C-alpha cells in the first residue's frame, strides 16, 4: 500500500502518546501538539510522527506542509445522510412563522421525508447519499455515523439500512449504522401508537438484527414523538439483539430522554437543547456521552445546548452535524466547530476535542480514528496556511481544510 511522509508541518495537532478513550471536563481544553513536525503513514496507518529533527529521509510519496497544520479527521457521530429529497418548502414556511413542531404536526417534517423515501429506489438513494458522503469528506470528515428513520415501514427501514450497508462497503471512511425506526409515528398508526411500537419490536428489530444491518438503536424521545416509556421498551428490545442505544433526547423540551438513555446504558444522548442540572448530574454519574448538534439549533432557531455548563461539570462533550433535510441540511464539521465556539462558548481546543476523539468514542471508533496516534488509521487533513489554531473556528464558513488524506493516501 506504500508510505506517505508529510514534512514541515507547522503544528501537528491532537497527538496522542498515551491512549485515552475520550477527554472530559477541564482536560478538554488540552490539545497536545508538536510544532515543526513530520508524520509518516504506512499501509494506511500512522507509523511515526515527531519533530522535523527526527524526520525519516524517504517515503514513496512526500507532501510538504510548510505553514500548515495537520489534524486528525473530524468524527461525525450523528447524521441522517440517507434521504430522498430536500425540504426547502418547510424552511420557507418556518421563515414565514411556523415552528418545526407545527410543520411536523400537519404531516410535514419526518413524515414528509418518509413519503419521499418510500417512492425512491435503493440505487437513487445510494447515489444521493454517496454524493453527500463525498461532500463531507471534503469538509475533513474521516468517520461517520448514519441513521435510518425515514422509512417507518419494515420495507423502507430495511431499504435505508441496505443503502447504508452499501455505503459502508464502498466508503473510504469508517461508517456506523443506526436503526431509527422510532423516528416518528406514521399517520396510519397515530390512533394506535402501541401497534407501531409492536411493529418495531416484533418485526423490524428482528430483521434488522438478523441481516446484521445496524450497530446501534436510536429513538426520537421527545415532546410530540416517543415517550420515555416507549423509548425504554424499544431500547430494551434493541439490547436483546446486541444493539446499543444512541438516542435523540431533549431537543424540543425536557422530556425524560436523558433519564431513559442513561438507564439503558446509551452510548450517547444527542441534542440536549433543553437540559437542567438534574440531567447534567445524571450524565456525570454515567458512561453516556452528551452529543451536541449546534447546526440544528442554528438552523431551527432553538436554544443552543449548554456546553459550557456541561464541560465545567466535568462532562465529555461531543460535537456532530446531524446532517438531515429537516433540521440541519449541512454536514459541515468546521462550521459546527465554529458554532460551538461562537454560540456555546467552547474554547477552540475543547471544540476540536469534541469533534475528533470524543466523536470517535461516540461511535466506538476511538481505537481507529480521532487522534494522531501510532497504529490508528491515517485519516487526517492539512489546513490552509494558518498562524494559529483559533483561526479555524474564527474564520467561520471559510475554507479551513486544504488536503484530505484517507488511509494514508492523498485524496
Ligand atoms: O436530529 N430530531 C429528530 N430527527 C432529526 C430531524 C429529522 C427531520 O426533521 O427530518 C434531528 O434533528
Ligand atoms: Fe438527528
Amino acid at each position: 500500500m506504500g508510505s506517505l511522509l508529510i514534512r514541515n508541518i507547522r503544528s501537528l495537532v491532537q497527538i496522542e502518546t498515551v491512549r485515552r478513550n475520550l477527554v472530559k471536563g477541564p482536560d478538554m481544553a488540552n490539545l497536545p501538539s508538536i510544532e515543526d513536525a513530520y508524520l509518516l503513514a504506512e499501509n494506511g496507518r500512522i507509523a511515526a510522527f515527531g519533530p522535523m529533527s527526527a524526520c525519516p529521509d524517504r517515503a514513496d510519496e512526500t507532501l510538504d506542509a510548510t505553514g500548515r497544520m495537520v489534524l486528525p479527521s473530524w468524527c461525525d457521530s450523528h447524521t441522517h445522510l440517507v434521504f430522498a429529497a430536500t425540504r426547502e418548502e418547510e424552511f420557507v414556511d418556518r421563515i414565514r412563522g411556523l415552528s418545526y413542531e407545527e410543520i411536523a404536526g400537519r404531516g410535514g417534517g419526518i413524515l414528509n421525508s418518509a413519503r419521499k423515501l418510500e417512492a425512491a429506489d435503493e440505487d437513487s438513494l445510494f447515489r444521493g447519499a454517496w454524493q453527500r458522503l463525498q461532500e463531507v469528506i471534503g469538509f475533513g470528515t474521516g468517520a461517520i455515523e448514519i441513521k435510518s428513520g425515514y422509512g417507518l415501514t419494515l420495507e423502507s427501514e430495511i431499504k435505508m439500512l441496505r443503502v447504508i450497508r452499501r455505503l459502508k462497503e464502498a466508503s473510504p471512511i469508517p461508517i456506523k449504522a443506526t436503526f431509527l425506526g422510532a423516528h416518528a409515528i406514521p399517520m396510519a398508526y397515530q390512533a394506535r401508537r402501541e401497534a407501531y411500537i409492536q411493529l418495531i419490536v416484533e418485526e423490524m428489530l428482528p430483521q434488522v438484527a438478523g441481516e446484521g444491518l445496524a450497530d446501534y438503536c436510536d429513538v426520537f424521545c421527545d415532546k410530540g414523538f416517543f415517550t420515555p416509556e416507549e423509548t425504554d421498551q424499544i431500547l430494551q428490545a434493541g439490547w436483546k439483539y446486541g444493539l446499543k442505544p444512541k438516542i435523540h433526547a431533549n431537543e424540543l423540551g425536557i422530556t425524560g430522554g436523558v433519564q431513559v438513555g442513561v438507564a439503558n446504558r446509551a452510548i450517547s444522548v444527542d441534542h440536549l437543547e433543553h437540559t437542567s442540572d438534574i440531567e447534567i448530574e445524571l450524565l456525570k454519574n454515567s458512561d453516556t456521552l452528551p452529543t451536541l448538534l449546534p447546526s440544528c439549533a442554528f438552523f431551527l432557531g432553538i436554544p443552543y445546548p449548554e456546553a459550557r455548563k456541561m464541560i465545567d461539570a466535568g462532562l465529555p462533550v461531543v460535537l456532530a452535524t446531524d446532517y438531515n433535510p429537516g433540521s440541519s441540511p449541512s454536514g459541515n464539521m468546521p462550521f459546527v466547530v465554529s458554532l460551538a465556539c461562537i454560540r456555546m462558548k467552547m474554547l477552540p481546543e475543547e471544540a476540536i476535542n469534541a469533534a475528533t476523539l470524543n466523536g470517535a468514542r461516540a461511535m466506538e471508533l476511538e481505537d481507529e480514528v480521532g487522534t494522531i496516534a501510532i497504529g490508528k488509521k491515517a485519516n487526517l487533513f492539512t489546513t490552509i496556511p494558518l498562524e494559529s489554531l483559533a483561526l479555524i473556528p474564527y474564520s467561520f464558513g471559510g475554507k479551513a481544510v486544504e488536503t484530505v488524506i484517507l488511509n494514508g493516501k492523498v485524496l
Side-chain angles (χ1 to χ4, degrees):
M1 273 181 86
S3 57
L4 170 71
L5 179 64
I6 312 176
R7 296 168 47 89
N8 300 318
I9 302 167
R10 177 186 196 113
S11 183
L12 179 61
V13 180
Q14 183 66 312
I15 57 156
E16 194 177 35
T17 45
V18 181
R19 289 283 180 96
R20 301 156 302 168
N21 289 340
L22 49 79
V23 263
K24 56 184 172 184
D27 283 344
M28 288 195 71
N30 297 332
L31 199 61
S33 60
I34 311 178
E35 311 310 295
D36 193 25
Y38 79 91
L39 181 142
L40 177 70
E42 274 173 358
N43 302 321
R45 304 249 159 200
I46 298 170
F49 59 86
M52 269 311 284
S53 55
C55 184
D57 45 47
R58 62 189 144 139
D60 298 335
E61 199 184 336
T62 53
L63 179 68
D64 182 69
T66 301
R68 282 126 176 113
M69 302 199 176
V70 168
L71 276 77
S73 299
W74 310 117
C75 297
D76 190 353
S77 64
H78 182 138
T79 83
H80 309 247
L81 198 75
V82 177
F83 54 85
T86 51
R87 303 213 307 257
E88 62 277 17
E89 334 71 46
E90 296 178 3
F91 166 66
V92 176
D93 286 342
R94 280 191 299 98
I95 294 171
R96 294 188 199 277
L98 285 181
S99 72
Y100 181 81
E101 286 144 289
E102 283 164 340
I103 291 167
R106 55 175 204 189
I110 295 163
L111 297 181
N112 177 4
S113 281
R115 282 191 296 275
K116 304 255 169 63
L117 190 127
E118 173 134 51
D121 64 36
E122 230 181 90
D123 284 342
S124 72
L125 289 172
F126 177 82
R127 282 194 302 274
W130 182 255
Q131 210 173 0
R132 288 186 282 274
L133 185 65
Q134 303 313 308
E135 180 201 10
V136 303
I137 285 173
F139 292 137
T141 296
I144 196 166
E145 180 258 18
I146 308 176
K147 300 173 192 297
S148 71
Y150 293 127
L152 311 181
T153 63
L154 175 65
E155 297 69 29
S156 290
E157 282 296 309
I158 296 293
K159 176 167 70 176
M160 274 191 91
L161 288 165
R162 287 187 182 145
V163 170
I164 301 172
R165 181 169 61 193
R166 279 176 64 183
L167 293 167
K168 275 191 185 193
E169 287 162 2
S171 167
I173 68 172
I175 295 178
K176 289 288 179 119
T178 300
F179 167 61
L180 176 54
H183 200 187
I185 304 273
M187 275 301 175
Y189 286 90
Q190 291 199 344
R192 44 188 191 109
R193 20 189 326 132
E194 53 315 320
Y196 186 60
I197 315 288
Q198 200 178 350
L199 178 71
I200 291 174
V201 169
E202 290 176 10
E203 294 185 45
M204 292 187 190
L205 271 170
Q207 189 164 343
V208 168
E211 288 191 39
L213 289 170
D215 302 295
Y216 302 110
C217 182
D218 193 346
V219 175
F220 187 8
C221 180
D222 222 316
K223 208 166 72 188
F225 290 85
F226 292 84
T227 66
E229 294 70 28
E230 292 164 344
T231 304
D232 189 53
Q233 206 183 328
I234 295 164
L235 297 185
Q236 287 196 32
W239 262 120
K240 292 212 180 87
Y241 297 101
L243 300 181
K244 295 179 188 169
K246 260 176 85 63
I247 70 168
H248 286 74
N250 290 12
E251 175 184 356
L252 307 170
I254 298 189
T255 46
V258 173
Q259 283 76 356
V260 71
V262 167
N264 282 282
R265 290 170 290 140
I267 294 278
S268 66
V269 285
D270 303 16
H271 273 286
L272 311 183
E273 286 84 352
H274 301 268
T275 298
S276 74
D277 293 347
I278 298 169
E279 282 80 15
I280 292 179
E281 203 47 40
L282 253 177
L283 287 168
K284 257 180 79 173
N285 297 310
S286 79
D287 289 325
T288 299
L289 301 169
T291 298
L292 312 183
L293 312 163
S295 54
C296 169
F298 171 77
F299 188 71
L300 293 184
I302 61 177
Y304 285 83
E306 293 195 84
R308 194 65 269 145
K309 232 179 171 177
M310 294 179 193
I311 295 171
D312 293 345
L315 292 178
V317 163
V318 182
L319 289 169
T321 64
D322 199 16
Y323 197 174
N324 78 76
S327 69
S328 179
S330 159
N332 189 326
M333 281 297 282
F335 183 60
V336 164
V337 168
S338 288
L339 278 178
C341 297
I342 298 164
R343 301 307 308 271
M344 304 198 298
K345 303 285 178 236
M346 287 173 72
L347 295 168
E349 292 81 2
E350 291 172 332
I352 292 170
N353 269 315
T356 55
L357 180 54
N358 287 359
R361 175 62 206 149
M363 297 184 273
E364 297 179 291
L365 286 173
E366 72 277 14
D367 291 333
E368 284 289 288
V369 289
T371 59
I372 304 292
I374 290 174
K376 284 197 182 183
K377 267 184 190 301
N379 286 9
L380 31 110
F381 60 82
T382 69
T383 64
I384 56 164
L386 287 180
E387 300 286 322
S388 82
L389 194 74
L391 282 168
I392 298 176
Y394 168 89
S395 310
F396 75 91
K399 180 183 157 66
V401 174
E402 191 172 78
T403 304
V404 171
I405 292 146
L406 295 178
N407 305 302
K409 291 213 154 44
V410 174
L411 213 63

